[in-house]
Amino acid sequence: MDSHGQYGQQVVWTVVGTDIGPLLLAATRDGLVNVVFHATGAARDRALERLAARLGTEPVEAPGSPLLTEAIRQVEAYFAGRGHDFDLPLDWSLISGFNRRVLRELASGVPYGEVVGYGDLACRVGRPGAAQAVGMAMGANPLPVVVPCHRVVESDGGIGGFGGGVDTKRRLLALEGVLPEPLF
């Protein structure tokens, strides 16, 4: 039971405009739980339905919620080029096992402006040869941008895939100085 005499998880959300389009940010009392690209219309509604199903409660739109205030501030600073690191409590409840281990290593071990190969990241978590599984973990990342799956690239220099789209990945890497700014 919480301090208001209610049972269950509270999930709040808002949409923040960014240079890569609208991002949905959702948080629980434990921290930021989900970041969703292209969060308008049907994509936003599907994301909220998935959150409700996974967390067992209906997310509430609450842009002024104290649970979201710092996440909004840090996302805005990142896209303005003023913030290089996210220092937020994260709720890892949407991911587990190997995927969680990989994403935690990525979040703590690959700083702003650097990239890592899928295979190298697999080695860092003690699973050499699991580059494809690392790619699957990146695709399952519930906290993109904040947990920087855009920093994972192919060993041959290719950019690799990205749940937000390859153009979005290029723009994020350009923002961090890894790639030149796209011409258009």
Side-chain angles (χ1 to χ4, degrees):
M1 192 177 308
D2 68 18
S3 62
H4 301 289
Q6 299 174 337
Y7 289 93
Q9 173 86 280
Q10 178 185 15
V11 181
V12 294
W13 67 274
T14 193
V15 173
V16 176
T18 73
D19 292 346
I20 59 168
L23 291 179
L24 181 142
L25 305 178
T28 68
R29 290 183 184 100
D30 293 331
L32 191 65
V33 71
N34 204 200
V35 176
V36 179
F37 292 110
H38 316 299
T40 59
R44 180 197 60 232
D45 295 345
R46 280 191 307 274
L48 292 170
E49 287 170 11
R50 280 191 309 270
L51 267 176
R54 296 282 308 277
L55 297 176
T57 189
E58 197 66 35
V60 175
E61 185 174 16
S65 170
L67 298 174
L68 291 167
T69 303
E70 186 60 17
I72 293 166
R73 189 192 70 72
Q74 289 187 33
V75 164
E76 289 173 343
Y78 173 81
F79 282 101
R82 295 187 316 271
H84 294 171
D85 299 305
F86 290 97
D87 184 19
L88 297 167
L90 301 177
D91 178 339
W92 293 95
S93 63
L94 295 178
I95 197 136
S96 62
F98 176 78
N99 290 354
R100 184 186 291 188
R101 217 167 65 234
V102 168
L103 292 171
R104 282 182 179 259
E105 172 59 30
L106 175 63
S108 65
V110 183
Y112 183 94
E114 293 186 20
V115 295
V116 65
Y118 293 95
D120 292 335
L121 193 50
C123 287
R124 288 184 186 194
V125 296
R127 295 276 307 271
Q132 190 171 13
V134 166
M136 298 297 286
M138 296 305 103
N141 182 3
L143 296 160
V145 181
V146 174
V147 176
C149 53
H150 59 278
R151 296 180 190 154
V152 183
V153 297
E154 296 173 348
S155 60
D156 66 1
I159 195 166
F162 193 61
V166 174
D167 288 339
T168 299
K169 185 172 186 173
R170 281 190 180 103
R171 293 184 73 186
L172 290 168
L173 291 173
L175 174 68
E176 294 188 14
V178 175
L179 293 176
E181 282 289 335
L183 296 176
F184 46 90

